[in-house]
Amino acid sequence: MDLRSTAGLLRSLLIYYGHPLRHRRLVRLYAPFVRPGDLAFDIGAHLGNHTRALAALGVRVVAVEPQPLLAGFMRRAFGRNPNITVLECALDAEVGEVEMHVSSAVPAVSTLDPAWKAQVGSMRAFQNVTWDTVLPVATTNLAALISVHGRPAFCKLDVEGAEHRVLRGLDSPIPALAFEYLPAARRTALACIERLDQLGAYEYNWSLGETARLQASWVPGKAAAEFLRRLPDKGREGNLFARLR
């Protein structure tokens, strides 16, 4: 592990594990979507803070992380928990192999989608980010993952601009999902809404920034899409939640 990768890992540990309230907020956020014994997918698991929150609710978690350094950390951290399965691969529309653009210093923003890098370049949070490595990674898709592990009650997607590609690999609806939106790259989230509405009758909600708190009411896909379109390019990011009506 080189110095840049070590610094990137330590940075992520500080961000995602350095604030005790973050874990409690995630547990509270996910509690309405799962029950003990349910299955959940954590796609783009990074260092597993979302996996940890879901497991705290008594949920079985399949955590998918393609970066070897991060997947290795997760295996060490959760390897003794029989309810957590860590898979070192990426999810995409198809099963195969794809190039991942890796930021060693900020591994949380590594991406399968080179166009996404250009879209987020105007955001202040990305102005000092460089993607310094191209890493070939094996891919599976959601349909294949479901065929092996079962249909999840909940799926969290955080794959830095490739969320719509992942959803193209889903051939039937699942009860609930969450995926990131970035105003500068809103096309990705809009494509996710379009794909989900092709699969089932979903309604939507969102949490702003890192608040881990949903809005008061759920809305149809058209209203969620309009919310995204109204956001200024340099506006606040967040997460969209979708559930079957």
Side-chain angles (χ1 to χ4, degrees), residues 201-243:
Y202 281 94
E203 58 185 359
Y204 298 84
N205 207 324
W206 51 87
S207 63
L208 302 175
E210 296 293 333
T211 61
R213 185 179 295 110
L214 294 177
Q215 303 302 298
S217 60
W218 290 78
V219 301
K222 287 184 178 179
E226 182 59 26
F227 159 74
L228 291 174
R229 293 189 182 100
R230 290 198 310 265
L231 292 172
D233 283 351
K234 295 185 179 181
R236 196 177 186 186
E237 77 284 353
N239 290 278
L240 275 172
F241 284 73
R243 69 181 184 188

Side-chain angles (χ1 to χ4, degrees), residues 151-168:
R151 186 169 302 278
F154 178 76
C155 177
K156 166 254 173 184
L157 282 173
D158 188 358
V159 290
E160 306 306 306
E163 287 84 359
H164 65 299
R165 291 167 51 165
V166 173
L167 290 178
R168 291 206 305 269

Side-chain angles (χ1 to χ4, degrees), residues 42-108:
D42 183 1
I43 311 302
H46 198 56
L47 293 180
N49 60 311
H50 294 266
T51 292
R52 178 175 172 240
L54 288 163
L57 291 164
V59 175
R60 296 178 293 118
V61 185
V62 175
V64 180
E65 173 52 54
Q67 296 181 71
L69 180 63
L70 307 185
F73 172 87
M74 288 198 64
R75 285 192 293 266
R76 291 189 295 274
F78 303 117
R80 295 184 179 181
N81 189 329
N83 289 327
I84 297 176
T85 300
V86 178
L87 303 179
E88 187 177 321
C89 63
L91 255 68
D92 205 353
E94 304 291 341
V95 177
E97 186 175 280
V98 70
E99 290 185 337
M100 168 167 269
H101 298 258
V102 176
S103 173
S104 300
V106 193

Side-chain angles (χ1 to χ4, degrees), residues 3-68:
L3 288 176
R4 183 180 287 265
S5 297
T6 301
L9 178 63
L10 292 175
R11 179 182 185 275
S12 288
L13 282 170
L14 180 62
I15 292 172
Y16 297 108
Y17 286 93
H19 304 285
L21 288 179
R22 182 187 290 269
H23 174 68
R24 298 181 200 172
R25 288 171 180 165
L26 286 177
V27 171
R28 182 185 65 212
L29 178 66
Y30 292 145
F33 300 100
V34 292
R35 295 178 296 180
D38 279 348
L39 173 67
F41 290 168
D42 183 1
I43 311 302
H46 198 56
L47 293 180
N49 60 311
H50 294 266
T51 292
R52 178 175 172 240
L54 288 163
L57 291 164
V59 175
R60 296 178 293 118
V61 185
V62 175
V64 180
E65 173 52 54
Q67 296 181 71

